[in-house]
Amino acid sequence: MAGRVRHPIDIRALEAWISKTVPEIEVPLDVKQFGFGQSNPTYQLTAADGRRYVLRKKPPGRLVSKTAHKVEREYRIISALASTDVPVPKAYCLCEDDSIIGTPFYIMSFLDGRIFEDPIIPNVLPDERRAIWSDAVRVLAKLHRIDPKTVGLEGFGKSSGFYNRQIATWSSICDAQGRIKDVETGVAVGQLPFFEDMMRFFSDEKQQPVDRGTLIHGDFKIDNLVFHKTEPRVIGILDWEMSTIGHPLSDLSNLLTPYFTARLDPSQSINVHPGFRPRATRGLPTPEEITRLYFSVTDPSTKSTLELSLGTQDHQDQRKRELQWAQAFNMFRQAAICQGIAARQAGRQASSEHARRYAAARAPLARFAWELAQAVQPGNQSMKKSRL
């Protein structure tokens, strides 16, 4: 819900710029701010004719990360996807001039639908819950089957080597975070459990999923989707700031995260939803059902090509190992993020109870990541790899 503006902007300057640049948006504007979109402040604009729009801007002040808050990137991909079957808001304009409202921003259409903050989708019938999740999976698969060149995004990222780059980046980040000392006690944050073992495992290309590059969202999950007000249908994907060309299993594993974290002790970890335990919630599709649906959309010819050449069981085993690897890396990344919160806490840059819980979860998540990694079957690594 949009409400009080917490990050003020110069509304008059914005109205003047819109009048010159996007005359279809009628001024004056009524401006409110959404509660979500914490990384990039997000506003609801209600035009003089009653139509609603959304403005996303970079936050004010010095930005710590050079890769975060990329509103220009968001604008570029939703503009490119407008001609595809991937549902996205309509992009109206991008302003990179800091002098208008202080930081770059873009304006897109407002999607009047439902956002489910709880991925269990409470308060709906089992059949609708299944349909909602199923359409989310189909939409992700549709995104991954788009050739970036066909929508002018061939330069949106590197077409190969995604996981190797991720491994190198997070290895360096974890080393730096682990060395940070508490400003009062002088005790270092420390490295994640099994860190060296995981780095060796993830860096072994024989263990990795077959390398490929597709458009990826970067943070694909249920609460980043807008669903139709009455139908179990996605009408738009939000929050594209982490989008790039990368490995599609990174998105799929992110979507499946609550199924895996449900195994953890909620007193020691974060985002543990008991509703994702097997048979706990009626209508919730299983990870196996999600996987089958996903691949039936990304590659409907799988049965006639891959399975005939490899054999049905071999192909399924290979797919299972690759997904297990991707989920293990996803859990490691979650642990590394929590380690980063612990590092900020050590420097007294994060002191809330929320931050303490996330910081404390880094070790259980890392141990779980290593458990998942060990479950990947190394004895079958010599098998000819299939493209998923």
Side-chain angles (χ1 to χ4, degrees), residues 120-357:
I120 209 70
I121 320 293
N123 304 317
V124 300
L125 295 174
D127 286 349
E128 184 177 8
R129 179 176 294 113
R130 177 176 292 276
I132 286 170
W133 261 87
S134 295
D135 203 55
V137 175
R138 278 190 290 268
V139 164
L140 178 62
K142 289 177 182 178
L143 171 66
H144 290 167
R145 70 185 184 187
I146 292 173
D147 182 347
K149 295 179 181 178
T150 64
V151 291
L153 292 176
E154 59 270 27
F156 202 60
K158 296 182 179 180
S159 60
S160 63
F162 173 78
Y163 273 126
N164 281 333
R165 290 193 301 277
Q166 287 281 300
I167 293 162
T169 296
W170 283 107
S171 177
S172 176
I173 290 173
C174 288
D175 278 336
Q177 292 174 166
R179 289 195 298 270
I180 292 176
K181 295 181 178 180
D182 188 280
V183 294
E184 295 178 7
T185 67
V187 176
V189 169
Q191 197 46 270
L192 296 171
F194 302 107
F195 175 73
E196 297 297 336
D197 293 319
M198 286 191 285
M199 290 303 95
R200 282 192 294 270
F201 170 79
F202 291 130
S203 299
D204 183 356
E205 294 189 3
K206 293 179 180 179
Q207 304 274 12
Q208 294 177 7
V210 171
D211 189 24
R212 61 179 299 201
T214 66
L215 291 175
I216 62 171
H217 179 270
D219 191 24
F220 194 89
K221 53 185 181 175
I222 292 294
D223 63 349
N224 274 336
L225 307 176
V226 182
F227 290 83
H228 189 276
K229 294 179 76 171
T230 59
E231 301 172 13
R233 175 169 57 87
V234 178
I235 61 173
I237 309 173
L238 305 179
D239 291 358
W240 289 89
E241 66 176 291
M242 296 174 68
S243 60
T244 187
I245 294 177
H247 203 292
L249 292 186
S250 63
D251 271 346
L252 182 58
S253 62
N254 196 68
L255 179 63
L256 290 170
T257 294
Y259 287 91
F260 285 81
T261 54
R263 308 176 192 177
L264 300 175
D265 182 347
S267 67
Q268 297 183 11
S269 194
I270 54 170
N271 300 328
V272 178
H273 202 314
F276 281 89
R277 292 173 185 160
R279 297 177 295 281
T281 304
R282 293 176 60 207
L284 193 66
T286 66
E288 293 76 20
E289 290 171 331
I290 288 172
T291 301
R292 283 197 299 270
L293 175 57
Y294 170 84
F295 286 112
S296 74
V297 178
T298 57
D299 187 6
S301 65
T302 295
K303 186 172 183 179
S304 61
T305 57
L306 297 178
E307 292 188 0
L308 286 178
S309 62
L310 268 179
T312 301
Q313 191 59 51
D314 286 348
H315 175 62
Q316 291 176 350
D317 289 346
Q318 178 66 28
R319 177 176 290 172
K320 181 178 180 180
R321 287 195 301 276
E322 295 204 358
L323 284 169
Q324 186 89 356
W325 189 101
Q327 195 61 60
F329 186 80
N330 183 49
M331 284 299 119
F332 157 72
R333 192 172 63 91
Q334 299 293 328
I337 291 170
C338 289
Q339 184 198 39
I341 295 173
R344 291 195 293 276
Q345 190 179 40
R348 299 302 182 268
Q349 296 172 306
S351 57
S352 68
E353 179 59 31
H354 180 75
R356 283 191 288 273
R357 285 186 59 249

Side-chain angles (χ1 to χ4, degrees), residues 2 28 33 35 43 72-73 93 95 105 111 124 146 165 181 208 271 296 322 326 348 376 385:
Q33 188 169 356
Y43 304 81
E72 304 92 339
R73 198 168 188 81
C93 57
C95 176
F105 66 90
L111 299 177
V124 300
I146 292 173
R165 290 193 301 277
K181 295 181 178 180
Q208 294 177 7
N271 300 328
S296 74
E322 295 204 358
R348 299 302 182 268
V376 178
K385 287 193 172 185

Side-chain angles (χ1 to χ4, degrees), residues 87-105:
V88 290
K90 177 182 177 181
Y92 284 92
C93 57
L94 171 68
C95 176
E96 299 179 271
D97 184 350
D98 290 351
S99 69
I100 306 301
I101 60 171
T103 59
F105 66 90

